[in-house]
Amino acid sequence: MSTSSSLWNRFQQYFVRYPKLGFSIDISRMAFEDGFIDSMAPSIEKAFAAMKELEAGAIANPDEGRMVGHYWLRDSSLAPTELRAEIDGTLDSTLKFAEDVHSGAIKAPNGQKFTRVLVVGIGGSALGPQLVAQAITPANPPLAIDFFDNTDPDGMDRIVEQIGAELATTVTLVISKSGGTKETRNGMLEAAAAYKAQGLDFAKHAVAVTGVGSELDKYAIAQGWMTRFPMWDWVGGRTSVMSAVGTIAAALQGVDVRRFLAGAAAMDAETRTRPAKENAAMLLALMWYSAGKGKGLKDMVVLPYKDRLVLFSKYLQQLVMESLGKEHDLDGKIVNQGIAVYGNKGSTDQHAYVQQLRDGVNNFFVTFIEVAKARDTAGFEVEPGFTSGDYLQGFLRGTRKALAGSGRESVTLTIPEVSAFTLGLLIGLFERTVSFYATLVNVNAYHQPGVEAGKKAATDFLKQMASVIGALPAGGATAEALAAQVGIDAEDAWQMLSHLAANGRAKVTLGATPAADSFAKV
């Protein structure tokens, strides 16, 4: 068992801080051997070289033949010359739009100032803006925010009900790169119907964030929407929060967007030049590799000790799992790579799944996120000599110690406070870590063939359901009979018919088994 003095020595050896940023990373409670980093030197150099080429505009997504440029969003001087003006111009125009909304230069059609923003998007088009809204918007933002981030009609109905008559002063951002994402299209149509139901012209409230020339872009032009902002094919959805996808919603809510971008740029700069043993992003990638043996054998549990970062684990789920969860490597070999990510917040989790982390299956490592500053307001003692913030710090350190004592690995990241700058810093850190780790395990971090496969399967399902609806008889038929008639799987037919019946679009007479159920036209 490690002694207190040996842990102290290991901490000093593997604790790295960036004083100018108020940031530090402690990897001392990870179970790698002292020679591990040196042994990874060839792979580390390859990852550094790949990142340099990526930032210089090389094709980093070979499957789609695309550059990968989310790093340029916070430092356009890195971008190819022909893109710099467009990057800067788009940022300026998004911030000017928000400024004009705040000042009343741009008003709602009823002549009043806009008071709310509704974001219609899915995946990175919603997760990034949601994280920003939760973490760094003012407590009383100039515009409140809501999201249609799923094609769940009940969920959208509830949001419309909550907005109520204030829909008349709500600006809606519809975010879709291709303009063909079905969930976002459905959300747009649901939003338009809600405006129409209140006698409002949706187009006078709508803003598109989409690819130039996309279906959505053409639709917005034809319908006379308020304005449009571009998305680029060299920015993936999961890394788009610093593009117009995230900057418009953030600026409308009063976030200092330039400070947000500056935080990411500052982390980029630190991790672009430092050697591996001082490079926070490379160290984090190496810890992922060490913990999972380069095969993702351990999950990553994200534990931020700050309520405002509760969505960070959800954000990282997409960033990490969509980027690294790949069946094939870059050589075409089947590798089934990935790192599962989950988490909530401390100290809440100490009353939930930390019990298993401490005493159950050891199939994870923890990423603690510590925020040094406890609160912005003056504190008080909840017990003599102790504040609520002292307790939060005690729970973090106590949990870390208890896990280490049980042989459970953890990394601790520390930031001085939660602000636009430090959230940008954290996002920049993990984006860079994902890029480095992808090279270490030889996968393409910038495509998502599994997502595309799911979209295709959903489209096929809906086409088949249309055939089933067309074949429904007035007198009733079993799923097997209808499936045989239209040439699809019997279970798929039964699921479709059950869905239709549950929503009043078919009649069902239940039998003793699903095979005996009879379905008919309404």
Side-chain angles (χ1 to χ4, degrees), residues 55 71 75 78 265 267-274 279 432:
E55 288 191 310
Y71 301 107
D75 186 354
L78 298 170
M267 180 56 74
D268 287 344
E270 292 283 3
T271 55
R272 184 177 295 120
T273 58
R274 289 178 179 264
N279 190 306
R432 214 162 185 85

Side-chain angles (χ1 to χ4, degrees), residues 436-520:
F436 284 148
Y437 183 85
T439 303
L440 295 181
V441 298
N442 195 37
V443 298
N444 181 357
Y446 306 109
H447 69 161
Q448 48 282 334
V451 174
E452 300 307 319
K455 289 180 180 179
K456 182 180 183 303
T459 299
D460 291 344
F461 181 91
L462 292 171
K463 288 179 179 177
Q464 292 171 358
M465 189 164 74
S467 298
V468 169
I469 292 171
L472 265 173
T478 65
E480 286 183 1
L482 288 166
Q485 183 177 339
V486 299
I488 65 172
D489 180 79
E491 183 181 340
D492 285 346
W494 185 87
Q495 299 287 1
M496 295 168 189
L497 291 160
S498 296
H499 164 75
L500 293 168
N503 289 278
R505 296 162 64 194
K507 293 186 292 186
V508 60
T509 302
L510 296 179
T513 66
D517 293 347
S518 180
F519 299 89

